[in-house]
Amino acid sequence: MAISSELPRHNVHFEPDNIKIQVDPGANLMETAVAAGVHINASCGGAGVCGTCNILVKSGRVESIRTDKISQKDYNRGIRQACQTRIFSDLNVEIPVGSRLEKAVLSREVEEVSAQKPVALVSGWSFNPPVKKVFLELPKPTMEDNVSDLSRLLRSIKQQCKLENISVNAEILTGLARILRTNNWQLTATILLEANSSCRVINIEPGDTRKGHYSLVFDIGTTAVRGQLLDLNRGKVISHCIDYNRQISYGEDVISRIAWSQKTGGLKRLQKAVTATLNDLIKGLINSADIEVQSISHMVVAANTVMTQLLIGLDPKYLRLSPYVPTISNVPLLKAKSIGINTEEHVHLYIVPSVASYVGGDIVAGILGTGIHQSDKITLYIDIGTNGEIVIGNSDVMLTTSCSAGPTFEGGGIKHGIIATSGAIEGFEINPSDFEPVITTIDSAKAKGICGSGLINIAARLLESGIITQNGKINTDFPTKRIRESEDGYEYILCKKIETQIDKDIVITEIDLDNLMRSKAAMYAGYKTLAKNIGINLTDIERVIIAGTFGNNIDIKNAITIGLLPDLPRDRFFFIGNGSLLGSRLISFSTDLLYHGETIANKMTNIELSENTEFMSDYMAALFLPHTNMDEFPSVTIKKGKKS
Amino acid sequence: MAISSELPRHNVHFEPDNIKIQVDPGANLMETAVAAGVHINASCGGAGVCGTCNILVKSGRVESIRTDKISQKDYNRGIRQACQTRIFSDLNVEIPVGSRLEKAVLSREVEEVSAQKPVALVSGWSFNPPVKKVFLELPKPTMEDNVSDLSRLLRSIKQQCKLENISVNAEILTGLARILRTNNWQLTATILLEANSSCRVINIEPGDTRKGHYSLVFDIGTTAVRGQLLDLNRGKVISHCIDYNRQISYGEDVISRIAWSQKTGGLKRLQKAVTATLNDLIKGLINSADIEVQSISHMVVAANTVMTQLLIGLDPKYLRLSPYVPTISNVPLLKAKSIGINTEEHVHLYIVPSVASYVGGDIVAGILGTGIHQSDKITLYIDIGTNGEIVIGNSDVMLTTSCSAGPTFEGGGIKHGIIATSGAIEGFEINPSDFEPVITTIDSAKAKGICGSGLINIAARLLESGIITQNGKINTDFPTKRIRESEDGYEYILCKKIETQIDKDIVITEIDLDNLMRSKAAMYAGYKTLAKNIGINLTDIERVIIAGTFGNNIDIKNAITIGLLPDLPRDRFFFIGNGSLLGSRLISFSTDLLYHGETIANKMTNIELSENTEFMSDYMAALFLPHTNMDEFPSVTIKKGKKS
């Protein structure tokens, strides 16, 4: 018997999930939750500074440092920061609403995506997946024809498929003799097409298994992971899935993840977190489609550079240190199983190539899907997440950049900001008769906070009605009781305590507005910098393609009103939903497109903004609603407030 | 605590190796010895029929079936067949001399090989190993040049080595960022050259490690495994090694190995046995050369088809079932580590391709090394082992076959036959004055038995002196007291009990002579069949190349006298030692030769003898000493005996 099992251990019980785990005395509560698979929000990744990982200790003894993130009143009733808490007895812990992830909104997103017909703009490809299943009937060996089993197999593939340069995965050898003889020399070979018109036999199965031939595509975001199961025979999406990236427990943004990866064992844990997320999603996809895991033949992933490096277990440290060098931008084909993904040995993972530290394969996939690299039309491609990724160009040239929009649009840095989950305020109007606000929330639930698209709508309406000024201050002269002064400055009450599920007034503060202004200014200055570098004005842009789930929910007019989008005619704007999945799906469907990713990545020039003086002056000029130069926003009219 | 450990277990003590092991009651003694790493000879692989695995139970209780392989006298003093014995108490077991392997003779062989200058006859190649080490000094990244670490590395390799189509092994990615920065962007890349002028980066190390760059070559025989450590910088053999193939415990010939592989878990055990042999040899090579395992860059193996399939874990069942189909004849490059060989992850194993079930990569390597495929001269290539492999041909055409010479030349099927180990009778003369025999033994040790080359010398001399007749019978009229009748027929006493170490007279019987005659007839009929198929007479043969350790020890004249070799002038015969190692070594030294193996394998046509009527009649005609048609052996003169 090992000594460790002789020590007294403590039972920890997490509510409301009703999950139990045993730990050693002194264990950190945050890490215990991670180990138990219980999610607690933690923007800062356990550094103790964000105050989002609050939990309620209902019974049991803990040791916990009280920081200014918890009021004395909350502390007295048992609220603790999970990351600052150590366990010293059996424990009952409740994860309050504010610290929990809600999956309801994610499933809502899946519904919408399935309903929406994806618009692929890329051209010049046919349905011709890079992984094929071929049914073969081999002639039986005789004394006159007793070449090896492998030679017999390859000869037959050559004849039937007109393929040359055929190699084989060593793993198929073990079962080869048996499989050929199991079903009377009839079998199905799975063949991976490679560069230079060569190919590789990656799997063999007795009999005819062509019917089950599927691909998995995933978009691995910093916050959420989205996936689809594709039927490679019919070129159809079979099922969808989405979940939070389990790495969220190690911090909400890439910077916290990088910090975590530098701890002992940290990189491994981050990798395991994302592969565990993928494995659960795969299980779900397979179950919902009622297929066997053996019929998965291929996998494509697109992600930002940090997510890509963490997925394959590469230290992301240098991605955010000048001169911002990724370890790899063009990942060789990997076996999915080799990085811990629960697929069969033969499933190869194609990772869409990236351009630079800040411009990942998700953007390359989006460009591929929309065919910007093939078109004459000057196109602005935008994907707004925690980082805003921007591309301007056409078939001749493409410039790209990533600007740190900050977490504003995902609810970060906003006093009552939350991600787009149930109860988030999304719609906002001002009643013109009494100037009272009219809010709508996701799922029509009791209000819980403000999501990114809601924030844009709120700011636009407040600006248009004169409740806030163009420099983002609250117009205290406005005739409404909704404005009040707090210790953080002036704020506007969107929703009164009694109408919320958080037992607090939901407000928007001048600090919030300031953060929003900085985020949208960064995006706008990003467009301008790229346009100048390419030698055009923003008005020369012929198409604006908005990718991403957040993008899908943006109200274009409101986004122009606050200066987040350029003031162009409405008919130049297109939504494509998740661009990363769109591109990955097309790569799964067509060998013709497989190498577009590399072409695009090679064609794109990345502009680093962090040390760009032009960007800085454009940014300063954009720190106004919508902009200091109103000539750039001719369609926007604003009631002049006082305090400007 | 697991239940199994609660059971009484028995301690088994093996002498003279002084090795102890614990087993459950009822365990098989043979398998216990294998598990303990104690070797017991077992020709039949544990079937109980060969009677070679005799051991002495000194104390303890066993249950054992007595077969006719053990005399009642031996049984009474405690001799048992290990494979027929189960353990029921603590045990002291002694492995008698006759059941033990002796390594002394193997080390003698190593000495000889190192002294001998290998003659490579193949031409048209330069020293240009297929695995290179390249020292690189990369420019440091800047904001203007911040491509990924991998792109920087590949760019530098392209420039410096003039290589295109460079791929990378996924394993190098993990350490890439760190290794580049460890020694100020100076590093050594190990590059594997592949077909179609493409190449692959398989390893990177910080700093300049070019100095340590070695290759391993192995000839895996059914009986012995021979290896060499090569310096890839200087093109030199650094050290040699040899050991019995540990699979010997599962039977002495390939048929017994195949039988063993069909038992539950048998294939895995056979594979482990050979990789364990290789791992021990590698350890020895590394220690004797005083190098680090990290500096091994490459590995080449040649073996017969059964040994090849067992090495990579493929079921050999169909190799010996008509129509004799191997699973694979051209094995793709494997990572040595993937099959259990203790090398670094990046070491790739090249297995020399084979021609057919009976003609393996060892023969192809020998042809490659001797350049028969490049020469006009009609060459007969012979490798005599348990199977005799024969090739006849030149650059135009090559025919090959493998005839079951049987284990005669390795001591099998001969009453006092043993492998060429210490105490084996090798030299044999008849004193012309008193007709008494004069024997010499390996290591001048007390006689223990007769080895293969000894058997040839004995038979030739007995034939020439008229003691045996041309049909292999003993001439009972010959004036010597050495001839006597036993229950097996007449026999000739080579060495009296008192002069041996086995406490028995060492004799040669008419049955032995019969077996010898059948073995040599099979070889000779093999030459004739190939010659006829190619349209020549044996006298047209311009060169005879004799490969193999056994070949090296053959006395050409005596071998012609008994009809084992064709009667050609002495200056047409060449010895090359181990042809398999010769070819493997050259492949390690020159990329030019890497693909010769495949060319040779494709050029060779295998003739199956088992169902060949021409072969059968040639075989019948050769069942005479030297042959029924003396015109084929003009140089052989024989005293006519009576009993013909």
Side-chain angles (χ1 to χ4, degrees):
Chain A
M1 246 182 164
I3 290 169
S4 66
S5 59
E6 311 271 5
L7 289 172
R9 284 166 69 85
H10 303 315
N11 297 301
V12 182
H13 181 196
F14 289 101
E15 296 176 7
D17 291 338
N18 193 27
I19 289 173
K20 289 170 188 171
I21 189 170
Q22 269 206 345
V23 295
D24 290 332
N28 178 288
L29 183 54
M30 184 72 190
E31 294 182 14
T32 301
V34 169
V38 172
H39 176 80
I40 302 177
N41 290 339
S43 304
C44 68
V49 296
C50 71
T52 56
C53 64
N54 292 356
I55 49 85
L56 175 65
V57 177
K58 294 175 81 175
S59 69
R61 191 167 68 79
V62 297
E63 283 181 13
S64 189
I65 302 151
R66 183 171 92 82
T67 71
D68 60 1
K69 297 291 169 192
I70 297 178
S71 68
Q72 190 60 51
K73 190 181 142 201
D74 277 349
Y75 195 83
N76 292 346
R77 71 184 181 98
I79 294 289
R80 298 288 183 276
Q81 276 176 278
C83 72
Q84 301 301 312
T85 301
R86 295 172 67 204
I87 300 163
F88 287 98
S89 77
D90 289 356
L91 220 60
N92 265 301
V93 175
E94 184 181 315
I95 318 295
V97 175
S99 301
R100 253 184 270 156
L101 285 178
E102 282 196 24
K103 299 197 180 179
V105 67
L106 292 180
S107 42
R108 188 183 73 134
E109 185 188 321
V110 164
E111 298 303 322
E112 281 175 12
V113 173
S114 5
Q116 186 193 1
K117 198 165 179 75
V119 191
L121 307 172
V122 64
S123 64
W125 60 278
S126 59
F127 181 70
N128 173 33
V131 177
K132 307 206 173 312
K133 276 194 164 184
V134 183
F135 177 63
L136 300 162
E137 298 180 84
L138 307 188
K140 279 176 213 169
T142 60
M143 280 304 291
E144 287 66 47
D145 173 26
N146 62 359
V147 298
S148 73
D149 288 342
L150 184 64
S151 300
R152 184 173 307 274
L153 174 67
L154 295 182
R155 192 174 66 184
S156 193
I157 292 175
K158 263 188 197 173
Q159 286 167 357
Q160 189 166 327
C161 310
K162 315 281 178 236
L163 287 167
E164 289 293 328
N165 299 324
I166 310 177
S167 62
V168 296
N169 262 15
E171 291 81 18
I172 75 160
L173 302 178
T174 315
L176 183 58
R178 181 182 48 76
I179 288 170
L180 293 187
R181 290 161 181 85
T182 297
N183 203 32
N184 200 27
W185 302 87
Q186 300 185 330
L187 74 154
T188 304
T190 309
I191 299 172
L192 176 73
L193 302 179
E194 293 178 314
N196 310 327
S197 72
S198 62
C199 66
R200 190 154 18 130
V201 183
I202 55 174
N203 195 31
I204 48 169
E205 297 163 291
D208 187 352
T209 69
R210 282 175 296 179
K211 215 179 125 199
H213 185 34
Y214 299 90
S215 166
L216 294 165
V217 294
F218 282 102
D219 166 49
I220 303 179
T222 310
T223 304
V225 178
R226 294 166 176 88
Q228 295 178 339
L229 176 73
L230 312 180
D231 183 335
L232 291 180
N233 286 315
R234 296 181 294 152
K236 279 183 71 173
V237 179
I238 299 298
S239 57
H240 304 260
C241 63
I242 185 166
D243 199 355
Y244 288 95
N245 185 337
R246 285 204 200 155
Q247 288 179 348
I248 284 188
S249 299
Y250 304 102
E252 282 187 3
D253 57 29
V254 291
I255 301 298
S256 331
R257 307 276 170 90
I258 292 174
W260 236 98
S261 74
Q262 300 308 304
K263 300 184 186 182
T264 310
L267 179 58
K268 209 163 224 169
R269 284 168 80 163
L270 286 164
Q271 203 212 359
K272 274 202 174 164
V274 68
T275 52
T277 309
L278 290 171
N279 287 336
D280 275 0
L281 288 174
I282 291 170
K283 207 188 281 174
L285 285 171
I286 286 173
N287 287 344
S288 75
D290 196 20
I291 63 164
E292 302 290 321
V293 71
Q294 289 80 358
S295 57
I296 303 289
S297 303
H298 195 221
M299 185 164 173
V300 176
V301 161
N304 67 49
T305 324
V306 175
M307 288 305 109
T308 299
Q309 294 211 177
L310 291 178
L311 174 68
I312 56 180
L314 301 182
D315 185 345
K317 181 163 65 173
Y318 301 104
L319 287 170
R320 289 301 184 268
L321 290 178
S322 177
Y324 315 109
V325 177
T327 301
I328 190 163
S329 38
N330 215 338
V331 183
L333 264 192
L334 295 172
K335 288 193 186 149
K337 202 173 179 180
S338 73
I339 56 166
I341 297 175
N342 292 343
T343 52
E344 296 289 291
E345 181 76 29
H346 69 276
V347 175
H348 284 68
L349 169 62
Y350 175 82
I351 299 180
V352 181
S354 58
V355 178
S357 279
Y358 288 85
V359 183
D362 46 355
I363 298 305
V364 171
I367 301 299
L368 186 153
T370 52
I372 296 172
H373 62 301
Q374 298 175 321
S375 163
D376 288 345
K377 287 195 178 173
I378 296 171
T379 306
L380 167 64
Y381 180 96
I382 309 171
D383 194 337
I384 310 174
T386 303
N387 280 299
E389 272 106 2
I390 307 168
V391 179
I392 296 186
N394 60 11
S395 55
D396 292 331
V397 61
M398 284 186 285
L399 297 188
T400 176
T401 195
S402 168
C403 46
S404 46
T408 314
F409 298 119
E410 297 190 338
I414 303 298
K415 185 163 185 176
H416 287 110
I418 58 176
I419 60 168
T421 180
S422 187
I425 299 173
E426 205 178 25
F428 181 80
E429 296 295 338
I430 302 279
N431 185 329
S433 59
D434 59 3
F435 302 115
E436 275 298 277
V438 180
I439 63 162
T440 49
T441 63
I442 294 177
D443 294 344
S444 304
K446 262 185 140 182
K448 205 168 88 178
I450 309 164
C451 68
S453 55
L455 185 66
I456 293 168
N457 296 335
I458 291 164
R461 207 58 73 243
L462 291 176
L463 179 68
E464 284 173 340
S465 60
I467 295 173
I468 62 170
T469 64
Q470 280 191 272
N471 59 0
K473 298 297 173 198
I474 300 215
N475 178 5
T476 49
D477 293 344
F478 198 90
T480 173
K481 284 179 178 165
R482 292 267 168 177
I483 295 170
R484 70 179 177 206
E485 194 166 7
S486 78
E487 53 188 11
D488 296 336
Y490 288 102
E491 60 189 28
Y492 176 87
I493 303 160
L494 294 162
C495 189
K496 293 196 174 142
K497 178 175 170 176
I498 189 165
E499 294 157 343
T500 74
Q501 54 173 303
I502 59 169
D503 203 24
K504 277 178 198 162
D505 292 342
I506 295 176
V507 302
I508 182 163
T509 69
E510 286 187 338
I511 294 173
D512 294 345
L513 290 168
D514 203 45
N515 282 332
L516 171 64
M517 209 144 61
R518 279 193 265 140
S519 295
K520 74 93 193 173
M523 291 298 295
Y524 192 78
Y527 316 148
K528 294 253 307 208
T529 308
L530 292 193
K532 276 184 208 164
N533 271 279
I534 220 164
I536 59 163
N537 291 316
L538 289 183
T539 47
D540 295 330
I541 289 169
E542 293 165 275
R543 296 191 300 186
V544 181
I545 294 175
I546 300 173
T549 318
F550 170 63
N552 257 4
N553 295 312
I554 288 181
D555 179 291
I556 300 279
K557 193 174 165 297
N558 288 342
I560 293 174
T561 300
I562 64 161
L564 170 63
L565 291 176
D567 195 355
L568 295 169
R570 180 63 186 80
D571 61 5
R572 293 194 197 169
F573 289 87
F574 300 87
F575 295 104
I576 55 156
N578 190 304
S580 171
L581 275 184
L582 170 66
S584 300
R585 198 163 54 230
L586 292 174
I587 288 169
S588 273
F589 285 156
S590 181
T591 311
D592 307 329
L593 295 173
L594 194 57
Y595 303 101
H596 278 230
E598 207 175 324
T599 312
I600 292 167
N602 289 337
K603 217 177 215 178
M604 275 176 145
T605 305
N606 180 52
I607 307 285
E608 292 287 351
L609 299 179
S610 53
E611 297 170 18
N612 187 311
T613 52
E614 206 161 27
F615 171 78
M616 282 314 292
S617 69
D618 279 329
Y619 172 74
M620 297 308 290
L623 283 175
F624 211 70
L625 296 173
H627 198 272
T628 48
N629 179 6
M630 283 302 285
D631 292 345
E632 296 191 19
F633 287 83
S635 81
V636 180
T637 51
I638 290 161
K639 275 196 190 156
K640 287 285 166 191
K642 194 183 96 185
K643 213 176 176 185
S644 63
Chain B
M1 247 182 166
I3 289 169
S4 66
S5 57
E6 309 273 5
L7 289 171
R9 283 165 71 84
H10 304 315
N11 297 301
V12 182
H13 182 197
F14 289 100
E15 295 177 7
D17 291 339
N18 194 25
I19 290 173
K20 289 170 187 168
I21 189 169
Q22 271 207 344
V23 295
D24 289 331
N28 179 288
L29 183 53
M30 185 70 192
E31 293 183 15
T32 301
V34 170
V38 172
H39 176 81
I40 303 178
N41 290 339
S43 304
C44 68
V49 297
C50 71
T52 56
C53 64
N54 292 355
I55 49 86
L56 175 65
V57 177
K58 296 175 79 174
S59 69
R61 190 167 68 81
V62 298
E63 284 181 11
S64 189
I65 301 149
R66 181 171 93 80
T67 71
D68 59 0
K69 298 291 166 191
I70 298 179
S71 69
Q72 189 61 52
K73 193 181 141 201
D74 278 348
Y75 195 84
N76 292 345
R77 69 182 181 98
I79 294 289
R80 297 289 182 275
Q81 277 176 277
C83 72
Q84 301 301 312
T85 302
R86 296 172 68 204
I87 301 163
F88 287 98
S89 76
D90 288 356
L91 222 60
N92 265 300
V93 176
E94 185 181 315
I95 319 292
V97 174
S99 302
R100 255 183 268 156
L101 285 179
E102 281 195 24
K103 299 200 181 179
V105 67
L106 291 180
S107 41
R108 189 185 72 136
E109 184 188 324
V110 164
E111 298 303 322
E112 281 175 14
V113 173
S114 1
Q116 184 194 4
K117 201 166 177 75
V119 191
L121 306 172
V122 62
S123 64
W125 59 279
S126 60
F127 181 69
N128 173 33
V131 177
K132 310 207 170 310
K133 275 195 166 185
V134 183
F135 178 61
L136 300 161
E137 299 181 83
L138 307 187
K140 280 177 213 169
T142 60
M143 281 302 291
E144 287 67 45
D145 172 25
N146 62 359
V147 297
S148 75
D149 288 343
L150 183 64
S151 300
R152 185 173 307 276
L153 173 68
L154 295 182
R155 192 174 67 187
S156 192
I157 292 174
K158 263 188 197 176
Q159 285 168 359
Q160 191 167 324
C161 310
K162 315 279 178 240
L163 287 167
E164 290 292 328
N165 298 327
I166 311 175
S167 62
V168 296
N169 261 15
E171 292 80 18
I172 75 160
L173 302 179
T174 315
L176 183 59
R178 181 183 49 74
I179 287 170
L180 293 186
R181 290 160 181 85
T182 297
N183 204 32
N184 201 27
W185 300 86
Q186 298 184 333
L187 75 153
T188 304
T190 308
I191 299 172
L192 176 74
L193 302 180
E194 292 177 314
N196 309 327
S197 74
S198 62
C199 67
R200 191 154 17 133
V201 183
I202 55 174
N203 195 31
I204 48 169
E205 297 163 290
D208 187 352
T209 69
R210 281 174 298 180
K211 217 178 124 200
H213 185 34
Y214 299 91
S215 166
L216 294 166
V217 293
F218 284 100
D219 166 49
I220 302 178
T222 310
T223 304
V225 178
R226 296 163 174 89
Q228 295 178 340
L229 177 72
L230 311 180
D231 183 335
L232 290 181
N233 286 315
R234 295 181 294 151
K236 280 184 69 170
V237 179
I238 298 299
S239 56
H240 303 260
C241 63
I242 186 165
D243 199 355
Y244 288 95
N245 185 337
R246 287 205 198 154
Q247 288 179 350
I248 284 188
S249 299
Y250 304 101
E252 281 186 4
D253 57 27
V254 291
I255 301 297
S256 330
R257 308 275 170 90
I258 293 174
W260 236 98
S261 74
Q262 301 307 306
K263 301 185 186 183
T264 309
L267 180 58
K268 210 164 223 167
R269 284 168 82 163
L270 286 164
Q271 201 212 1
K272 274 202 173 164
V274 67
T275 54
T277 309
L278 290 172
N279 287 336
D280 275 0
L281 289 173
I282 291 171
K283 209 190 279 174
L285 284 170
I286 286 173
N287 287 344
S288 74
D290 196 20
I291 64 164
E292 303 288 322
V293 70
Q294 288 79 2
S295 58
I296 304 289
S297 303
H298 196 219
M299 186 163 176
V300 177
V301 161
N304 65 49
T305 324
V306 176
M307 289 305 110
T308 300
Q309 293 211 176
L310 291 178
L311 173 67
I312 57 180
L314 301 184
D315 185 345
K317 182 165 63 172
Y318 301 104
L319 287 171
R320 290 301 184 268
L321 290 180
S322 175
Y324 315 110
V325 177
T327 302
I328 191 164
S329 39
N330 214 340
V331 184
L333 265 191
L334 294 173
K335 289 194 184 150
K337 203 171 179 181
S338 74
I339 55 166
I341 297 175
N342 291 341
T343 52
E344 296 288 290
E345 180 75 29
H346 68 276
V347 176
H348 284 68
L349 168 62
Y350 176 82
I351 299 180
V352 181
S354 58
V355 178
S357 279
Y358 287 84
V359 182
D362 46 356
I363 297 305
V364 171
I367 301 298
L368 186 152
T370 51
I372 296 172
H373 61 302
Q374 298 176 319
S375 165
D376 287 346
K377 288 197 179 171
I378 295 172
T379 307
L380 166 64
Y381 180 96
I382 308 172
D383 194 336
I384 310 175
T386 303
N387 279 300
E389 270 107 3
I390 308 169
V391 180
I392 296 186
N394 61 10
S395 54
D396 292 330
V397 61
M398 283 186 285
L399 297 188
T400 177
T401 195
S402 167
C403 45
S404 46
T408 314
F409 298 118
E410 296 190 338
I414 303 298
K415 184 164 186 176
H416 287 112
I418 58 174
I419 60 169
T421 180
S422 187
I425 301 173
E426 206 178 26
F428 179 80
E429 296 294 340
I430 304 278
N431 187 328
S433 58
D434 59 4
F435 301 116
E436 275 299 278
V438 181
I439 63 161
T440 49
T441 63
I442 294 178
D443 294 344
S444 303
K446 262 186 142 179
K448 207 168 84 179
I450 311 163
C451 67
S453 55
L455 186 65
I456 293 168
N457 296 337
I458 292 163
R461 205 59 72 241
L462 292 176
L463 179 69
E464 283 173 341
S465 59
I467 296 174
I468 63 171
T469 63
Q470 281 191 272
N471 59 359
K473 300 292 174 201
I474 298 202
N475 178 4
T476 50
D477 293 343
F478 199 90
T480 171
K481 287 183 178 163
R482 293 264 167 180
I483 294 170
R484 72 177 176 206
E485 194 167 6
S486 76
E487 54 187 12
D488 296 337
Y490 288 101
E491 60 190 26
Y492 176 88
I493 303 161
L494 294 163
C495 188
K496 294 197 175 138
K497 179 174 169 176
I498 191 164
E499 295 158 345
T500 73
Q501 55 172 304
I502 59 168
D503 203 24
K504 278 179 197 158
D505 292 342
I506 294 176
V507 300
I508 182 162
T509 69
E510 287 188 338
I511 294 174
D512 295 345
L513 291 167
D514 203 46
N515 282 334
L516 170 63
M517 208 145 57
R518 279 192 265 139
S519 294
K520 73 94 193 171
M523 292 297 295
Y524 191 78
Y527 317 148
K528 293 253 301 207
T529 308
L530 292 193
K532 277 184 208 163
N533 271 280
I534 220 163
I536 59 164
N537 291 315
L538 288 183
T539 46
D540 297 329
I541 289 169
E542 293 165 275
R543 295 190 302 186
V544 181
I545 294 176
I546 299 173
T549 319
F550 170 64
N552 256 4
N553 295 311
I554 287 180
D555 180 289
I556 299 279
K557 194 174 162 297
N558 289 341
I560 293 173
T561 299
I562 65 161
L564 171 62
L565 291 176
D567 194 357
L568 295 169
R570 179 66 185 80
D571 60 4
R572 294 195 196 168
F573 289 87
F574 299 88
F575 294 105
I576 56 157
N578 189 304
S580 171
L581 275 183
L582 170 64
S584 300
R585 197 161 56 232
L586 293 173
I587 288 171
S588 272
F589 284 157
S590 180
T591 311
D592 307 330
L593 295 173
L594 194 54
Y595 304 100
H596 278 229
E598 207 176 324
T599 311
I600 292 167
N602 289 338
K603 219 178 215 177
M604 276 175 144
T605 305
N606 180 52
I607 307 285
E608 292 288 349
L609 299 180
S610 52
E611 298 171 17
N612 188 312
T613 53
E614 206 161 26
F615 171 78
M616 282 314 292
S617 69
D618 279 330
Y619 173 75
M620 297 307 291
L623 284 176
F624 212 67
L625 294 173
H627 198 271
T628 48
N629 179 7
M630 283 302 287
D631 293 346
E632 296 191 20
F633 288 84
S635 81
V636 181
T637 52
I638 291 162
K639 275 196 193 158
K640 287 281 166 196
K642 193 182 103 184
K643 214 182 177 182
S644 61

